[in-house]
Amino acid sequence: MELLTAAEMRALEAEAMARGDATGLELMERAGFGAARAALTWRPDLQKGDRRLIALCGPGNNGGDGYVVARLLAERGWTVDLFAYGEPGRQGPDAAEARRRWEAFGRTRPWDQAGPRLEEAARGGRGAADLIVDALFGSGLTRPLPPEVAGPIQGLTSGAGPAPVLAIDMPSGLCADSGRPLGAAVRADLCVTFHAPKMGHHLLPGPDHVGELRRAEIGLGPLRPRAAQGPRARLMREAPAGIDKGAGAGWAHKYDHGHALVLAGGPGRGGAGRLAARAALRVGAGLVTLGPSPAALQENAARLDAVMLRPIADWEALGEALQDRRINAVALGMGLGPGEGTRSLTLAALAARRATVLDADALTSFEEDPDALFAALHERCVLTPHAGEFARLFPDVAERWAAHAVAGPAFSKVDAAMEAATRAGCAVLLKGPDTVVAHPMRGTDVLSPRQLGRAPWLATAGAGDVLAGMIAGLAARGLATFDAASAAVWLHVRAAKAFGPGLIAEDLPDMLPELFDELGF
């Protein structure tokens, strides 16, 4: 499923209206109906008619959606207290008509009464509420909530509201493109969005404000506006296409499934490389060779069986090893240590023009001269930084990403990863609970903690080494590096979720056979 920006969503609505598929008011009615229906199915106890609603409606079309929800629930017998922010005369025609239709059922109260009503609801008793609708500001918000709004709804932004909160489209105060609060932002229990999810629903800290996310269809037609023909942002919901490349070919030779070379550190530092090599083999590479320094050869031989060994003393030895054209994927950086030796190995690996995964020290070693790395990269590379490593290679981009968000659309993790990928000219996998894989031509894949659930036990030593090995193994099987990175991220989280708490990095590769069986490979 694609993720949209606020601008893309506005363009889709404009196109639908230009085609005559719907008027603005019809889209508003559909959105309000979808939000009301979602609330009633989310909490079946709300289907009883004798319920109390507090509706907070803003001055724009998001407020218009709120008027529709209030009217529909009033028709079901709910008692509705609706508070409107903004001057009625400045509303657009669709929102004004939605307000007029609501006022056939109930009274619109002035905004200065909203705070006392929320306080009364917090005290409970006869003034309690069963649901609060946040329809103040939706995906079009580009500035912090005004003080006269943020003050009365302080309990909703702290998560200590008096009743469950339904946010329409986006929680008020949250940037739809980045998931970053523009100051205070509502913490909803349920958010109903329309047509397609937005970036901010899935990029942290957005999910912590959105709560449960549901989508309502409002009849907009094609998923992306015609004007948005560039790289896409996609949500990883299922196993990425091609993840089973080569599976089931019973007549294939092991070399048909690729040969990955993983470089390892010196004595006492080979664990990271061994983890990556085992992951590459488990994920399906036909052969995997580990290349430690000569001094560490015996240490690694005592720990490995199916993974082969070849000592790699320096960049010249690596170049000699890569004369074997059957080695079609290389992973390095894990446990190598930063410095000139790792720089030389990295440049030698890149000169061979194989599918190349650069992790950890292969990135950090270029902190003082990232342009030297960028000049050597090619389209078959994947960089796999965490936030700290990302900042060392792309300090200006990281600074923009880390800056306090004061206006929308705020610079997002997707923006950061895509800008880095464009500069590097290859895939960039920016790690985290909301991992983003970006490619200058292919767009971005976003792994949302909302889709597969959080796996905090992945924050363990060696998990990133396993991920790098999985990418190399899938690339050896023939996947394009962007696809290999996306597939590896998805498998990585699925394997962690399948194992559960107590996970250590060594467990991840051994969960893959069970996962592949579940997927039918």
Side-chain angles (χ1 to χ4, degrees), residues 118-173:
L118 290 170
E119 292 175 4
E120 178 190 29
R123 291 192 293 270
R126 294 174 61 86
D130 297 290
L131 184 67
I132 297 171
V133 167
D134 166 26
L136 288 164
F137 298 94
S139 60
L141 183 71
T142 59
R143 58 187 173 86
L145 296 178
E148 63 271 24
V149 172
I153 66 168
Q154 183 176 7
L156 307 188
T157 59
S158 67
V165 176
L166 161 63
I168 297 181
D169 193 22
M170 293 293 298
S172 293

Side-chain angles (χ1 to χ4, degrees), residues 216-250:
E217 186 54 68
I218 56 175
L220 290 184
L223 188 59
R224 282 169 64 82
R226 287 190 296 271
Q229 299 301 319
R232 302 179 301 167
R234 304 178 302 182
L235 182 65
M236 290 188 223
R237 299 176 60 188
E238 301 172 347
I243 200 170
D244 58 343
K245 187 178 181 68

Side-chain angles (χ1 to χ4, degrees), residues 40-400:
L40 297 178
T41 56
W42 173 64
R43 286 272 301 273
D45 60 298
L46 296 178
Q47 295 179 19
K48 298 178 181 178
D50 56 340
R51 297 297 181 185
R52 296 189 69 93
L53 172 71
I54 297 176
L56 309 174
C57 295
N61 286 345
N62 191 248
D65 298 341
Y67 289 120
V68 175
V69 172
R71 188 191 81 233
L72 293 173
L73 294 181
E75 290 176 347
R76 293 180 62 92
W78 284 50
T79 300
V80 179
D81 294 324
L82 188 148
F83 302 90
Y85 172 74
E87 300 177 20
R90 300 183 65 179
Q91 286 182 309
D94 297 329
E97 175 60 18
R99 177 171 177 161
R100 187 194 67 78
R101 293 181 180 185
W102 145 250
E103 289 177 343
F105 290 86
R107 181 165 67 93
T108 301
R109 303 173 186 270
W111 180 251
D112 60 11
Q113 295 180 11
R117 178 65 183 93
L118 290 170
E119 292 175 4
E120 178 190 29
R123 291 192 293 270
R126 294 174 61 86
D130 297 290
L131 184 67
I132 297 171
V133 167
D134 166 26
L136 288 164
F137 298 94
S139 60
L141 183 71
T142 59
R143 58 187 173 86
L145 296 178
E148 63 271 24
V149 172
I153 66 168
Q154 183 176 7
L156 307 188
T157 59
S158 67
V165 176
L166 161 63
I168 297 181
D169 193 22
M170 293 293 298
S172 293
L174 194 70
C175 173
D177 287 6
S178 68
R180 303 175 66 183
L182 304 177
V186 168
R187 290 185 178 271
D189 299 282
L190 172 68
C191 180
V192 179
T193 193
F194 310 112
H195 188 63
K198 315 307 181 290
M199 300 278 196
H201 291 134
H202 291 281
L203 294 174
L204 290 173
D208 294 331
H209 289 264
V210 168
E212 183 174 334
L213 180 65
R214 296 200 177 185
R215 184 178 67 91
E217 186 54 68
I218 56 175
L220 290 184
L223 188 59
R224 282 169 64 82
R226 287 190 296 271
Q229 299 301 319
R232 302 179 301 167
R234 304 178 302 182
L235 182 65
M236 290 188 223
R237 299 176 60 188
E238 301 172 347
I243 200 170
D244 58 343
K245 187 178 181 68
W251 54 86
H253 189 273
K254 59 189 175 185
Y255 282 105
D256 294 331
H257 291 163
H259 184 177
L261 172 64
V262 178
L263 299 192
R269 297 193 308 180
R274 289 193 296 272
L275 284 168
R278 184 173 179 82
L281 198 60
R282 275 292 194 202
V283 87
L287 301 93
V288 176
T289 294
L290 186 71
S293 67
L297 190 64
Q298 287 186 324
E299 171 189 317
N300 284 284
R303 301 291 303 276
L304 299 172
D305 292 308
V307 173
M308 300 183 295
L309 283 167
R310 175 168 181 159
I312 302 291
D314 52 26
W315 66 271
E316 291 179 310
L318 176 59
E320 182 180 339
L322 291 175
Q323 293 298 312
D324 184 348
R325 301 302 301 178
R326 294 175 298 183
I327 297 175
N328 61 343
V330 184
L332 70 156
M334 303 77 70
L336 291 182
E340 185 57 38
T342 299
R343 282 171 55 95
S344 299
L345 286 169
T346 301
L347 294 175
L350 293 172
R353 311 287 292 187
R354 313 295 165 79
T356 306
V357 183
L358 300 183
D359 188 45
D361 296 326
L363 305 175
T364 300
S365 294
F366 289 88
E367 178 178 5
E368 300 300 325
D369 188 13
D371 287 341
L373 175 63
F374 300 151
L377 293 170
H378 52 82
E379 68 280 358
R380 300 186 66 202
C381 296
V382 183
L383 313 185
T384 61
H386 56 55
E389 293 158 349
F390 184 87
R392 295 178 194 121
L393 283 184
F394 307 98
D396 54 328
V397 180
E399 185 177 357
R400 292 177 64 195

